Amino acid sequence: MNLLAIVGSPRKGKATDTLVDKAIEGLKSVHPNCNVKKIHLADQDIQYCKDCLACWKSKTKGPIAKCAIRDDMDQINEEILKTDCLIIGTPIHMAYASALMMTFLERICWTFAKPEKSYVLVKGCPAPRSDKKRKAAIIAVSGMIPPRYKRLCNQATTQIKGVIKDSLNADTVGKLYAGDLWNRGVEHYLDDAFKLGKKLS
Ligand SMILES: Cc1cc2nc3c(=O)[nH]c(=O)nc-3n(C[C@H](O)[C@H](O)[C@H](O)COP(=O)(O)O)c2cc1C
């Protein structure tokens, strides 16, 4: 079993990173031999999507269309192709996912999806290029807004869930909103993150 963990915080060793590690620990408590690859987006050279639509236009029958940009997404894509499950962690920035996470999501959007799904009258919506089913867990961390008011602040989880379903064929089996972190501290959410990781098994 292969797990890919993606951390979208610019800060290593802080809340998002810590909770992602705890979720990895949870999964490893059930699958000790699980292969884990963790990627800090902040360490990677990931350029912005240029909207050239090379991936969108691709007629490949494979699981991924080639992106026109050569950067660290090439290696990250190889890890995505291998993985069975994902843990995606992002801090909440202005109610959405961090810019690091958004840049990553834009780059996987059409490389891993083909414009072949229809929703009512809208044709050309994304459908995964691969039949390989994956599972995912999402962690969103916010400084101020407590879980009770997460609807005001947690657009990230809905967005990540949609993109990874449409592009990576990944079903979200669990999510953690770690809110009001500045008051509660990361310790408050460690057990929840551990349990979230176990859910991936
Ligand atoms: C640019 C920016 C925007 C932020 N916007 C929000 C927000 O909308 N709501 C909130 O509760 N916290 C917000 N925060 C606080 C972060 O969510 C908080 O610091 C988070 O714990 C960071 O995660 P980390 O410790 O993994 O870096 C923002 C922080 C930054 C830097």
Side-chain angles (χ1 to χ4, degrees), residues 9-11 14-17 90-96 141-145 153 177-178 180-182:
S9 171
R11 308 190 308 164
K14 298 294 184 180
T16 309
D17 196 11
T90 185
I92 296 290
H93 285 179
M94 297 172 293
Y96 285 85
V141 180
S142 87
M144 294 170 291
I145 307 296
C153 172
Y177 173 82
D180 190 26
L181 202 99
W182 290 342

Side-chain angles (χ1 to χ4, degrees), residues 3-9 11 13-28 36-40 86-91 101 137-141 176 178 186 189-190 192-198 200:
L3 166 75
L4 178 61
I6 309 266
V7 180
S9 171
R11 308 190 308 164
K14 298 294 184 180
T16 309
D17 196 11
T18 304
L19 294 175
V20 166
D21 279 346
K22 206 67 192 173
I24 294 171
E25 215 181 296
L27 179 60
K28 288 211 103 180
V36 178
K37 174 82 185 175
K38 184 176 163 199
I39 293 174
H40 289 272
L86 298 126
I87 297 172
I88 309 235
T90 185
M101 183 56 69
I138 300 171
I139 299 173
V141 180
L176 169 62
V186 73
Y189 291 106
L190 292 177
D192 288 342
F194 187 84
K195 285 182 198 145
L196 180 70
K198 282 175 97 173
L200 276 172

Side-chain angles (χ1 to χ4, degrees), residues 105-116:
L105 294 175
E106 285 188 11
R107 289 290 300 280
I108 63 169
C109 169
W110 292 111
T111 46
F112 282 92
K114 52 190 173 187
E116 289 183 9

Side-chain angles (χ1 to χ4, degrees), residues 4-179:
L4 178 61
I6 309 266
V7 180
S9 171
R11 308 190 308 164
K12 270 192 188 169
K14 298 294 184 180
T16 309
D17 196 11
T18 304
L19 294 175
V20 166
D21 279 346
K22 206 67 192 173
I24 294 171
E25 215 181 296
L27 179 60
K28 288 211 103 180
S29 72
V30 186
H31 288 286
N33 297 325
C34 176
N35 289 316
V36 178
K37 174 82 185 175
K38 184 176 163 199
I39 293 174
H40 289 272
L41 296 179
D43 285 346
Q44 309 294 314
D45 170 24
I46 303 178
Q47 297 173 38
Y48 298 126
C49 170
K50 297 184 193 309
D51 196 1
C52 69
L53 294 183
C55 54
W56 186 82
K57 290 177 198 151
S58 169
K59 297 283 179 239
T60 182
K61 297 281 173 225
I64 182 167
K66 191 160 180 171
C67 177
I69 303 170
R70 301 277 64 76
D71 62 9
D72 289 346
M73 278 307 293
D74 289 337
Q75 287 82 52
I76 296 173
N77 288 342
E78 291 303 317
E79 296 297 337
I80 293 174
L81 286 169
K82 275 193 284 185
T83 204
D84 305 295
C85 52
L86 298 126
I87 297 172
I88 309 235
T90 185
I92 296 290
H93 285 179
M94 297 172 293
Y96 285 85
S98 66
L100 284 166
M101 183 56 69
M102 291 301 293
T103 304
F104 166 75
L105 294 175
E106 285 188 11
R107 289 290 300 280
I108 63 169
C109 169
W110 292 111
T111 46
F112 282 92
K114 52 190 173 187
E116 289 183 9
K117 200 149 124 189
S118 297
Y119 284 110
V120 198
L121 295 176
V122 185
K123 290 186 177 151
C125 297
R129 292 181 187 273
S130 168
D131 292 336
K132 178 173 175 161
K133 291 231 177 254
R134 300 184 170 94
K135 287 194 217 171
I138 300 171
I139 299 173
V141 180
S142 87
M144 294 170 291
I145 307 296
R148 187 192 315 174
Y149 299 122
K150 71 176 176 185
R151 69 185 184 284
L152 302 175
C153 172
N154 186 20
Q155 317 300 323
T157 302
T158 313
Q159 188 169 36
I160 293 168
K161 186 178 167 191
V163 175
I164 63 177
K165 175 72 186 160
D166 292 342
S167 296
L168 306 185
N169 213 358
D171 284 316
T172 298
V173 297
K175 31 196 190 189
L176 169 62
Y177 173 82

